[in-house]
Amino acid sequence: MSHDSVPATETIRPDWAAIDQLPTLGLLRLMNAEDHSVPVAVAGELERIAAVVDAVAARMARGGRLVYAGAGTAGRLGVLDAVECPPTFGTDPTLVVGLIAGGRSAVTAAAEGAEDRTDLAEADVAALALTPDDTLVGVSASGRTPYPLAAVRAARATGALTVGLACNRGSALAATAELGIEVEVGPEVLAGSTRLKAGTAQKLMLNLLSTAVMVRLGRTYGNLMVDLRATNDKLRHRARRIVAEATGADPAAVDRALTATEGRAKDAILALLADVDAPTAARLLTSSDGRLREALRLAGA
């Protein structure tokens, strides 16, 4: 794709030129019908996404970090995915990081000019002091936004793994990164508004990437969020349900185990299933790199 060409996500569909004259229900039906095409487009890239998941998980198992870099909607989605990892998977806040052009203030206030600032991307990447065990994922609908492109180039120079997520084929971002994923969603119903189908595709890709990586790292037990951080009443109730589901224990036993393990669901499950005390459960999990199935094997349960 040349710099002067218009990416598919920016093209204008003449047959949609009168959407402002549609009845509300007709407008919504058109948008909803277009949205249906997004999961299909993502499905076409699952093999590439799987390769990225395995590569990222291998590096994170060695202590590496996962970093997203984007501008506008793409940047906000990266920040969203990053900040949701600690409560969902019990990760340290520095393990999954979201970089957005214009800094954190750009999450809640548009900073459109920042996406052209390659110097900001280079500085943001330099501040992380990336290593070869880290991964930086550049995210851009067009695949040619300067900020994520510069971030990928800067990350490659450190030896970190680089990934380019774009919503157009033949993107500069995928070509610049070591691994590329291009989910072609086509024109938007509102021409050029890539917070629509492109944004949905990016959210789906980030969901797949981070969730599958955390599953590979043993941050779940089956489909249970055993590493969640129970920091409010809702999550405390969820932790009880998770421990009960995993162990079949009665409510009183679940509460005792969670109290003994200071609310750590994974430790409580191990303590109940292996019939060990909380300190032993903690030691077994440390010995198994936090993988509950391996800890159960070590305990002979």
Side-chain angles (χ1 to χ4, degrees), residues 5-25:
S5 65
V6 178
T9 50
E10 300 286 339
T11 57
I12 299 171
R13 282 271 298 267
D15 51 323
W16 292 340
I19 64 168
D20 56 333
Q21 299 178 50
L22 290 174
T24 300
L25 184 57

Side-chain angles (χ1 to χ4, degrees), residues 28-50:
L28 296 178
R29 281 174 173 159
L30 171 60
M31 294 179 66
N32 183 243
E34 283 299 302
D35 285 341
H36 284 181
S37 69
V38 177
V40 176
V42 172
E45 289 290 283
L46 287 180
E47 288 189 8
R48 290 180 182 272
I49 296 171

Side-chain angles (χ1 to χ4, degrees), residues 101 112-119 145-147:
E112 299 300 328
E115 73 173 46
D116 296 330
R117 295 282 303 277
T118 58
D119 59 318
T145 307
Y147 181 90

Side-chain angles (χ1 to χ4, degrees), residues 103-154:
R104 286 305 173 107
S105 64
V107 174
T108 56
E112 299 300 328
E115 73 173 46
D116 296 330
R117 295 282 303 277
T118 58
D119 59 318
L120 293 181
E122 291 163 357
D124 289 345
V125 171
L128 292 174
L130 298 179
T131 75
D133 285 336
D134 296 321
T135 302
L136 184 136
V137 181
V139 188
S140 165
S142 67
R144 63 185 189 183
T145 307
Y147 181 90
L149 271 170
V152 165
R153 286 193 292 266

Side-chain angles (χ1 to χ4, degrees), residues 5-288:
S5 65
V6 178
T9 50
E10 300 286 339
T11 57
I12 299 171
R13 282 271 298 267
D15 51 323
W16 292 340
I19 64 168
D20 56 333
Q21 299 178 50
L22 290 174
T24 300
L25 184 57
L27 173 60
L28 296 178
R29 281 174 173 159
L30 171 60
M31 294 179 66
N32 183 243
E34 283 299 302
D35 285 341
H36 284 181
S37 69
V38 177
V40 176
V42 172
E45 289 290 283
L46 287 180
E47 288 189 8
R48 290 180 182 272
I49 296 171
V52 170
V53 167
D54 289 339
V56 173
R59 285 163 175 77
M60 294 188 80
R62 300 194 296 264
R65 294 164 291 173
L66 173 59
V67 180
Y68 301 125
T73 296
R76 293 183 190 100
L77 289 171
V79 170
L80 175 64
D81 197 78
V83 299
E84 289 184 341
C85 283
T88 306
F89 302 110
T91 56
D92 186 278
T94 63
L95 192 64
V96 184
V97 180
L99 300 179
I100 181 170
R104 286 305 173 107
S105 64
V107 174
T108 56
E112 299 300 328
E115 73 173 46
D116 296 330
R117 295 282 303 277
T118 58
D119 59 318
L120 293 181
E122 291 163 357
D124 289 345
V125 171
L128 292 174
L130 298 179
T131 75
D133 285 336
D134 296 321
T135 302
L136 184 136
V137 181
V139 188
S140 165
S142 67
R144 63 185 189 183
T145 307
Y147 181 90
L149 271 170
V152 165
R153 286 193 292 266
R156 285 201 74 164
T158 70
L161 175 68
T162 54
V163 180
L165 299 185
C167 295
N168 288 287
R169 295 290 180 193
S171 68
L173 186 60
T176 302
E178 292 169 77
L179 299 175
I181 299 170
E182 296 174 315
V183 173
E184 193 168 25
V185 297
E188 301 284 7
V189 171
L190 185 62
S193 182
T194 51
R195 69 185 182 88
L196 300 176
K197 289 190 298 182
T200 300
Q202 290 164 352
K203 182 68 169 76
L204 290 176
M205 287 189 285
L206 295 179
N207 282 350
L208 291 169
L209 175 57
S210 60
T211 303
V213 165
M214 293 302 165
V215 171
R216 293 277 78 87
L217 292 174
R219 292 280 180 173
T220 64
Y221 180 63
N223 65 339
L224 300 177
M225 295 190 298
V226 293
D227 262 325
L228 69 80
R229 291 184 177 175
T231 54
N232 59 35
D233 285 342
K234 178 188 73 175
L235 294 178
R236 281 187 282 273
H237 287 303
R238 183 177 295 167
R240 291 189 188 98
R241 291 196 302 272
I242 286 171
V243 175
E245 177 67 26
T247 65
D250 62 65
V254 168
D255 285 341
R256 285 195 298 272
L258 282 169
T259 298
T261 60
E262 298 181 340
R264 293 187 295 275
K266 182 184 283 185
D267 297 56
I269 292 169
L270 181 57
L272 288 167
L273 291 180
D275 192 22
V276 297
D277 60 19
T280 301
R283 286 195 298 273
L284 286 167
L285 284 167
T286 298
S287 299
S288 61

